[in-house]
Amino acid sequence: EPVLELRSVTAGYHRRTPVLRGVSLTLGAGEAVGLSGPSGCGKSTLARVAALLHRPWEGTVRLEGRPARGFRFRAPREQRTAVGVVFQQPRLAADPRLTLAALIAEPARATGRYPELADRAAALAEAVGLSPGLLARRPHQVSDGQLQRACLARALLLRPRLLICDEMTAMLDAATTAALVAVVEDYRREHGAALLAAGHDRVLLRRWCGTVVDLDGTVVDPDGTRVDPEAGA
Ligand code: ADP
Ligand code: ADP
């Protein structure tokens, strides 16, 4: 069964014109799909729907064969923890009071699995290239790239079956981009996880994902046009 299945998803904000209309997408274990398209076309919205952070107006979201049983704070923990998310702006996603080490371990503490996952947190910190000195710092004492490294490690801590990277590298330099893409690739191969990567840099996405779906807002679909990997390949 697919890791993620969106069926005829229509979504938007504040009862205005929908941002996504009738979008369908299927993502299997180990598959990597890129979402591209100009700014404002709905990539982040789709990413948030898939991450159970935004409730669609219509359509269904299934994770590992089970319908989403809630969105945002209503999403049940077992579905929420099946998905890891990294956003474009790490500062908006990081508690400024936490050291990077504590930030990476946050999901373990939140799920009552801290001692058990402490070694994994340390291994991930090393994998994303954070030295012990950096791990002791707080967000305002590190660069965007260093903070994003921590955010990626945090997203991988609970071994998500689906990883969503929403413009993860948009604010990063080439070296940090390459390092983080490599960590994601290793994780996907090792765990057979599914990857949904949204970004405006189609060249990077194509190298990274092989399959890229263009979500340019015209993939509106009155008779159920599907946005699927074939459509963008
Ligand atoms: P992309 O990620 O492709 O840039 P988004 O999904 O962020 O696209 O945005 C799609 C459209 O939805 C844009 O017109 C944007 O202004 C609007 N939008 C995004 N987030 C919100 C929000 N929280 N409230 C209202 N409108 C939003
Ligand atoms: P991106 O293109 O990466 O989504 P944006 O600058 O469009 O970045 O959006 C950044 C944040 O602002 C997102 O959380 C989004 O939901 C919110 N946002 C975007 N457009 C609007 C909007 N028209 N009204 C309210 N919030 C918005």
Side-chain angles (χ1 to χ4, degrees), residues 55-147:
R55 174 189 291 281
W57 294 347
E58 288 169 38
T60 58
V61 179
R62 289 177 158 261
L63 279 176
E64 302 184 297
R66 297 199 192 91
R69 291 202 285 112
F71 290 84
R72 302 177 64 206
F73 55 89
R74 289 209 172 81
R77 176 184 283 180
E78 71 272 15
Q79 287 197 323
R80 235 186 310 126
T81 56
V83 186
V85 195
V86 187
F87 300 96
Q88 174 173 358
Q89 297 186 42
R91 282 183 204 284
L92 301 181
D95 184 335
R97 298 165 302 181
L98 297 180
T99 63
L100 298 202
L103 190 126
I104 293 170
E106 219 180 3
R109 294 191 190 278
T111 55
R113 298 178 62 195
Y114 178 65
E116 175 201 339
L117 288 170
D119 288 349
R120 176 163 173 77
L124 281 166
E126 196 179 338
V128 297
L130 290 173
S131 65
L134 284 168
L135 289 170
R137 295 196 198 170
R138 289 171 215 281
H140 70 276
Q141 300 167 316
V142 302
S143 70
D144 283 333
Q146 288 161 345
L147 192 53

Side-chain angles (χ1 to χ4, degrees), residues 13-14 38-41 43-45 48 88-89 92 166-167:
Y13 303 89
H14 312 306
S39 183
C41 74
K43 303 181 295 295
S44 293
T45 302
R48 285 197 290 266
Q88 174 173 358
Q89 297 186 42
L92 301 181
D166 183 5
E167 297 270 17

Side-chain angles (χ1 to χ4, degrees), residues 9-27:
V9 164
T10 293
Y13 303 89
H14 312 306
R15 298 175 180 280
R16 300 169 67 102
T17 312
V19 174
L20 305 172
R21 304 187 214 203
V23 172
S24 297
L25 182 142
T26 303
L27 195 51

